[in-house]
Amino acid sequence: MNIVFCSSEVFPFVKTGGLADVCGALPLALERLGMEVSIFLPRYKDIKPDQHPLEKINNRVSKTRLGKNIQVYLIEQAKYYQREGLYGDASGDYPDNLERFQYFCRQTLEVWKQLKLKVDIVHCHDWQTALIPVYLKEKFGKDSFYAGIKTVLMIHNLAFQGIFPRQAYPLLGLKDELFNPQTFEYYGQINLLKAGIIYSDQVTTVSRRYAKEIQTKQFGCGLDGVLKSRRDEIVGILNGLDTDVWNPEKDPLIAKRYSSDDFIELKQENKRCLQESFKLPSCEDNPVFGFVGRLSHQKGVDLLLEVMGAMAASSLQMIVLGLGEKEHILRLTEMAERNPKKIAVRFAFDEKTAHQIYAGSDLLLMPSCFEPCGLSQMIALRYGTIPVVYKTGGLADTVVPFDPSSLHGNGFLFEEYTPAAFLTMINRAIKVYGDKKKFSRLVRNAFQCDFSWDKSAGIYARLYKNLL
Ligand code: ADP
């Protein structure tokens, strides 16, 4: 079976978030199951030939490799992709994103035929590639080369839909009649994700709970009606982790490697190095809370800012790594300046620091107000770092509340989205941290969680087979 992944980001080539992690790791897990997988990705400026050997096939496409034999095709177009960043720069999203990603979708389809690739399933990801199922049916359908190809659209985050002004519609090269409420039209604008949901043979999303949530008004981001109309084709499959990239026993980016057998001292060593790197005083007996993520409303930065003052008054430290909204950066900087011994911040996208925070923190704060799956809490658990999360989406599917009597569970969940409820849970975590025996049992529980891709990749393999 030949599976083609089409995505706007893939680790280790380019990454802005979990989408890249998933599109780098799931193909590897499918390859281990014996499937033929290839990947299509735009050839961005950040993909450096000295890090990833590139073979130029022709003017439209170059090739590199992932895993044993996964061919990674990079669609070339300097005017669209040879710029800073993937989707925008400091002033915001690029105004020609519709053009950039429709080009990617169309070229990808054309290159298949040009290279005579055998494609059984095309697995698309988010709005950037949602045009592929539409093009396959509306533009390429009459060509027998494309007959029988089945389409899967994976929604990583429904909050990003690819919405563009109606005037840009001719750029898509599709019939005018398709601009209607049953296809592209969304309150007078173009909505690429909506059209992709309608045209795909199968829609998947990244956790079971999120699959249900997005069919409700509260989490449906205006597409709950469309999603409900396709409820029989929607399935939630939990994301996994690349357990080679995220492995405290082998991680080359952390100060001291450790396992569930020797974490007690070695994790402390990572904590000391982390504190030093963030210029915080070393304090073994107090917990360090980490945060790694986009500085956005979704990730709960507003809520975090509301409890930070109270947290800084307790015996603990907080370390924040992220990029995002200016307002959040300003307020976090202020907090850190006011509490130099307690709070440290770094505004960057920095893979190494992220690994060091997962390894060196005792707990990870993840108060997302919605979270399709969330990888950070799973990574934290793999590093024996205990997540404190809001009970939503994939966070609710992966974090089990720790019960200090039965000693069952792997983290802390708050159920009411208020600063008070968040703070109560943080205080509960601090209390458990103070009881060394209980906390080390909790860390052991975390190490026992299995978030590898193996199980979910098997579910995808069955889903592909059923589609064919
Ligand atoms: P998202 O909604 O952003 O995709 P996820 O939790 O699914 O959130 O995945 C986020 C991924 O991006 C994780 O691998 C996390 O470690 C990484 N990440 C987020 N922010 C940063 C950052 N500032 N520096 C390094 N890695 C980051």
Side-chain angles (χ1 to χ4, degrees), residues 435-453:
D435 183 331
K436 284 221 160 16
K437 244 177 143 176
K438 276 201 178 128
F439 195 74
S440 78
R441 170 60 188 263
L442 171 53
V443 174
R444 277 177 221 285
N445 293 352
F447 278 123
Q448 273 171 12
C449 301
D450 175 9
F451 294 120
S452 69
W453 263 109

Side-chain angles (χ1 to χ4, degrees), residues 15 17-18 21 293-294 299 321-322 348-350 354 358 374-376 379:
K15 165 169 166 180
D21 287 311
R294 288 181 283 119
K299 297 292 175 184
L321 171 70
F349 196 93
D350 181 348
Y358 292 123
L375 296 179
S376 296
I379 301 170

Side-chain angles (χ1 to χ4, degrees), residues 139-189:
K139 266 187 106 59
F140 294 75
K142 290 199 193 89
D143 184 333
S144 62
F145 174 84
Y146 299 93
I149 298 177
K150 298 289 180 192
T151 53
V152 178
L153 175 66
M154 186 159 169
I155 301 174
H156 294 255
N157 193 336
L158 191 64
F160 302 103
Q161 299 181 1
I163 296 178
F164 298 95
R166 194 243 178 280
Q167 295 83 301
Y169 184 75
L171 285 173
L172 300 184
L174 290 163
K175 287 180 282 193
D176 279 349
E177 302 90 88
L178 288 180
F179 187 78
N180 68 53
Q182 274 68 50
T183 313
F184 279 103
E185 187 177 350
Y186 181 78
Y187 299 101
Q189 295 185 293

Side-chain angles (χ1 to χ4, degrees), residues 1-7 23 27 30 35-41 70-73 104 108-109 111-112 117-125 129 132 136 145 149-153 464:
M1 198 187 322
N2 290 274
I3 316 293
V4 174
F5 269 57
C6 299
S7 175
C23 291
L30 293 169
M35 299 196 164
E36 300 273 332
V37 190
S38 51
I39 300 177
F40 278 73
L41 172 75
I70 296 174
Q71 307 299 311
V72 181
Y73 296 93
F104 173 59
T108 293
L109 287 160
V111 165
W112 295 352
L117 288 188
K118 184 167 163 19
V119 181
D120 295 308
I121 303 273
V122 52
H123 192 147
C124 305
H125 300 268
T129 52
I132 288 178
L136 261 177
F145 174 84
I149 298 177
K150 298 289 180 192
T151 53
V152 178
L153 175 66
Y464 299 146

